[in-house]
Amino acid sequence: MTTAILEHLSTLSVSGQQLRRLPKILENGLPKMPCTVPETDVPQLFREPYIHTGYRPTGHKWRYYFCSLFQKHNEVVNVWTHLLAALAVLLRFWAFAEAEALPWTSVNTLPLLLYVLSSVTYLLFSVLAHLLQSQSELSHYTFYFVDYIGVSIYQYGSALVHFFYTSDQAWYEHFWLFFLPAAAFFGWLSCAGCCYAKYRYQKPYPLMKKICQVVPSGLAFLLDISPVAHRVALCHLAGCQEQATWYHTLQIFFFLVSAYFFSCPVPEKYFPGCCDIVGQGHQLFHVFLSICTLSQLEAVLLDYKGRQELFLQRHSPLSVYMACLSFFFLVACSATTAAFMRHKVKARLMKKEP
């Protein structure tokens, strides 16, 4: 017995030594990561107001920027917030699909599928933008243009589910004819406005850049959220206790909070250099927007489950198919716009080269 115990302890000792060597083994197995640099060591384009350190140097191989997912720098929180949110969206939807035996090929499921696709797309496009934009000036513009495509896709995906699942009859009777065409137009305008502002204005950015970004996106939000706001207002006035309505209320609240942090560089404005890695306003924007999306997802799943009869009364299969096809038309228009602006950026950068 004593011999067996000693052999077991010896095995544990060897295992402990191996575990202590594990970080060194992993470090040697990964490519060497360049250290982050202060703002003075990167071009003006990559600098953010009130953020003094934590920048990744430009001009390295793509592998470095992908591996920087596990490095401490001033974009890593932006990357992980939306990466984790995308995973949460997929897991929650998959759990719902399994529990409800979701009819994947049914016409009344199509808007829900496109909404989930749009949510994951905007989150992952944001991840790519913040992870890879530091490689070069052209990469910076390219991946932020991709990010803007994701925003327009998400806006229209939200409009689809709000129209088909969430809207009350009184709202639907007044706005059914032009709501989706207008939502598609404002979704494209949001992408176009953001791409133009990014191309047109140089750092330090003037107020007009923020206006070009916020106004089209704000108009798209006001339109897309109108069926939700109408239903929430009526429900609260009537004292109803619909669970979906409370999730919709949280969706609106968290979006407005996220919009504030997107528009204002706080708290770093009041604590320059103290929020370089954690605590930036844009990071808080990501967090609250992720919570907004998850609240919206819960509300939409409840609406999808509980309002099937209303859906079938209102919409023919042809109208649903046409609306869903318009989703891909918007994707094509936004991608074409972003590609055109990237071409103009590339031409301008080539003129700058000696």
Side-chain angles (χ1 to χ4, degrees):
M1 176 67 72
T2 303
T3 303
I5 293 174
L6 290 174
E7 289 178 352
H8 183 63
L9 290 174
S10 176
T11 303
L12 290 177
S13 177
V14 172
S15 300
Q17 293 174 3
Q18 292 173 340
L19 287 174
R20 285 194 294 271
R21 290 199 301 267
L22 184 60
K24 188 67 175 177
I25 294 171
L26 291 175
E27 182 181 350
N28 292 335
L30 290 173
K32 295 297 182 181
M33 302 286 282
C35 296
T36 57
V37 297
E39 60 180 342
T40 53
D41 289 352
V42 295
Q44 180 72 26
L45 177 66
F46 300 95
R47 302 177 192 177
E48 295 296 332
Y50 315 109
I51 306 300
H52 300 330
T53 61
Y55 292 92
R56 290 166 295 171
T58 62
H60 289 272
K61 294 181 179 179
W62 286 108
R63 184 176 66 172
Y64 161 59
Y65 299 97
F66 280 105
C67 290
S68 70
L69 179 66
F70 305 103
Q71 183 186 28
K72 185 174 73 172
H73 54 82
N74 58 26
E75 289 277 30
V76 71
V77 175
N78 289 325
V79 173
W80 277 101
T81 46
H82 275 180
L83 186 60
L84 292 175
L87 180 61
V89 168
L90 286 173
L91 291 176
R92 179 65 187 97
F93 176 67
W94 185 257
F96 176 83
E98 290 287 304
E100 301 298 328
L102 191 72
W104 296 88
T105 58
S106 174
V107 65
N108 56 329
T109 307
L110 280 177
L112 177 62
L113 295 177
L114 291 179
Y115 163 72
V116 173
L117 174 63
S118 71
S119 299
V120 174
T121 297
Y122 103 82
L123 290 166
L124 292 182
F125 281 8
S126 172
V127 168
L128 289 176
H130 289 285
L131 187 64
L132 304 178
Q133 56 90 16
S134 295
Q135 201 272 340
S136 66
E137 290 194 17
L138 182 60
S139 299
H140 177 89
Y141 284 103
T142 299
F143 285 107
Y144 274 114
F145 290 167
V146 169
D147 189 19
Y148 303 148
I149 295 172
V151 171
S152 71
I153 292 172
Y154 174 63
Q155 288 172 345
Y156 193 60
S158 298
L160 284 175
V161 290
H162 293 166
F163 178 76
F164 283 111
Y165 304 135
T166 301
S167 59
D168 276 335
Q169 189 61 29
W171 179 95
Y172 178 81
E173 290 174 354
H174 285 87
F175 300 105
W176 69 271
L177 184 61
F178 67 84
F179 175 74
L180 288 180
F185 171 74
F186 281 118
W188 169 81
L189 187 64
S190 176
C191 177
C194 289
C195 289
Y196 173 77
K198 187 72 176 174
Y199 163 75
R200 172 65 177 80
Y201 299 105
Q202 308 295 308
K203 289 187 176 181
Y205 293 131
L207 178 62
M208 186 55 67
K209 176 182 183 290
K210 190 67 71 174
I211 291 174
C212 289
Q213 290 180 319
V214 171
V215 170
S217 299
L219 292 174
F221 171 75
L222 290 175
L223 179 67
D224 297 344
I225 206 67
S226 60
V228 175
H230 179 267
R231 180 173 161 195
V232 166
L234 291 182
C235 183
H236 288 316
L237 288 174
C240 73
Q241 297 297 321
E242 283 185 340
Q243 188 178 9
T245 304
W246 287 103
Y247 280 114
H248 282 306
T249 304
L250 290 174
Q251 169 196 346
I252 296 172
F253 172 76
F254 285 119
F255 180 85
L256 293 176
V257 174
S258 70
Y260 169 76
F261 284 109
F262 176 80
S263 303
C264 304
V266 293
E268 64 266 26
K269 179 178 180 179
Y270 303 106
F271 306 98
C274 296
C275 305
D276 290 355
I277 307 300
V278 178
Q280 302 167 28
H282 197 84
Q283 295 170 354
L284 296 174
F285 160 69
H286 273 219
V287 170
F288 285 111
L289 187 60
S290 298
I291 299 173
C292 165
T293 301
L294 293 172
S295 300
Q296 181 188 39
L297 176 62
E298 288 296 329
V300 167
L301 293 179
L302 289 169
D303 286 340
Y304 170 84
K305 181 179 177 180
R307 309 184 104 208
Q308 287 292 314
E309 184 177 347
L310 184 60
F311 179 97
L312 295 173
Q313 289 174 1
R314 288 178 181 173
H315 308 292
S316 66
L318 179 60
S319 67
V320 179
Y321 287 130
M322 292 297 292
C324 292
L325 281 175
S326 66
F327 174 89
F328 296 100
F329 178 72
L330 171 66
V331 173
C333 290
S334 297
T336 301
T337 301
F340 172 73
M341 297 307 300
R342 181 187 182 277
H343 175 74
K344 293 182 70 67
V345 167
K346 187 176 182 179
R348 185 175 68 187
L349 292 176
M350 290 179 66
K351 289 182 179 179
K352 287 172 56 178
E353 293 179 358

